[in-house]
Amino acid sequence: NAGVMQNPRHLVRRRGQEARLRCSPMKGHSHVYWYRQLPEEGLKFMVYLQKENIIDESGMPKERFSAEFPKEGPSILRIQQVVRGDSAAYFCASSFGSGNTIYFGEGSWLTVV
Amino acid sequence: GENVEQHPSTLSVQEGDSAVIKCTYSDSASNYFPWYKQELGKGPQLIIDIRSNVGEKKDQRIAVTLNKTAKHFSLHITETQPEDSAVYFCAASIVQGAQKLVFGQGTRLTINP
């Protein structure tokens, strides 16, 4: 009965490189959310996806960031040309459907050097 | 949009005493209020949630109260134990549609033995 699985747990990238964060939702869940947490701050909503569809990306920066949740495989959060300000913990969450309880993964900690 | 304020930012209590954390929200349309516990280096763990059709919910040592008129809700932990030490986040959302959780800033709770 695995929960929300994220990998990698820790990722170090140099400025200008690309970061790819993966998320497998809980079994049976078809709704995925990505949140970002800066040090000593709360979580901020980035994007909400269902299979093959982006439902709401109002919290995601317009440039360099993209997300997908393909028909097969995990959800991917992609950050191109990373900058130091992208250093944060990125949390994926999933739910059975809209209106159901949201469960979080253990996070992916991105450090940009 | 929704804004959630959480107080206090830090809280220290003696083991066995009670702890109370309070949150206020701005959007009267919000109808779902979860509380998450986050330990160092880990993801947020749902500990209790409440929907706007009830005023109070209890689960063993944890309880949440909701005042829709005043737009505030509170977490109560009784008989605190050292393992309750963590950062606690409140959140608010509208259940229908894109269920975006808006988080408070967090409360660092320390239980002193």
Side-chain angles (χ1 to χ4, degrees):
Chain A
N1 186 22
V4 179
M5 304 301 291
Q6 290 188 246
N7 68 85
R9 291 295 316 280
H10 299 275
L11 183 63
V12 179
R13 284 288 178 266
R14 296 187 183 278
R15 280 177 294 172
Q17 291 185 320
E18 178 180 288
R20 282 192 183 221
L21 310 178
R22 289 176 291 278
C23 169
S24 295
M26 286 180 70
K27 187 176 181 180
H29 287 191
S30 60
H31 295 232
V32 165
Y33 314 79
W34 286 93
Y35 285 77
R36 177 164 66 175
Q37 186 177 36
L38 296 172
E40 303 298 322
E41 293 189 14
L43 290 86
K44 305 290 185 187
F45 169 82
M46 297 182 73
V47 62
Y48 164 42
L49 311 103
Q50 296 178 26
K51 284 285 187 181
E52 299 184 278
N53 285 305
I54 297 174
I55 306 302
D56 186 331
E57 56 182 348
S58 59
M60 201 149 69
K62 295 282 187 286
E63 297 179 353
R64 302 188 298 107
F65 286 73
S66 62
E68 63 176 7
F69 188 18
K71 186 177 180 180
E72 300 290 338
S75 174
I76 306 286
L77 179 67
R78 182 184 179 200
I79 311 172
Q80 295 177 288
Q81 298 169 6
V82 296
V83 301
R84 288 232 172 101
D86 296 333
S87 295
Y90 292 83
F91 290 98
C92 175
S94 73
S95 67
F96 180 75
S98 179
N100 294 99
T101 302
I102 295 174
Y103 296 93
F104 282 82
E106 293 289 79
S108 291
W109 268 257
L110 172 65
T111 301
V112 179
V113 297
Chain B
E2 175 66 276
N3 182 52
V4 177
E5 297 286 335
Q6 182 173 346
H7 299 281
S9 57
T10 60
L11 180 61
S12 183
V13 302
Q14 289 298 120
E15 183 178 354
D17 288 350
S18 296
V20 180
I21 302 171
K22 299 181 179 181
C23 289
T24 60
Y25 61 99
S26 61
D27 189 346
S28 57
S30 290
N31 54 11
Y32 175 63
F33 308 93
W35 285 88
Y36 289 86
K37 174 184 180 183
Q38 187 177 27
E39 298 176 334
L40 190 63
K42 295 191 175 182
Q45 177 188 6
L46 179 73
I47 55 172
I48 195 167
D49 57 8
I50 191 168
R51 297 177 190 264
S52 61
N53 57 345
V54 297
E56 184 174 358
K57 183 176 179 180
K58 191 173 181 179
D59 183 4
Q60 299 183 340
R61 298 186 296 109
I62 295 173
V64 57
T65 58
L66 171 65
N67 184 325
K68 287 189 294 183
T69 303
K71 288 190 282 190
H72 68 69
F73 56 112
S74 300
L75 177 72
H76 304 253
I77 306 174
T78 59
E79 301 172 17
T80 53
Q81 302 168 2
E83 53 265 37
D84 294 331
S85 294
V87 179
Y88 290 81
F89 290 97
C90 63
S93 78
I94 301 171
V95 170
Q96 288 77 22
Q99 189 175 343
K100 296 188 290 188
L101 292 172
V102 177
F103 282 84
Q105 299 89 336
T107 296
R108 184 176 299 277
L109 175 63
T110 302
I111 308 300
N112 302 308

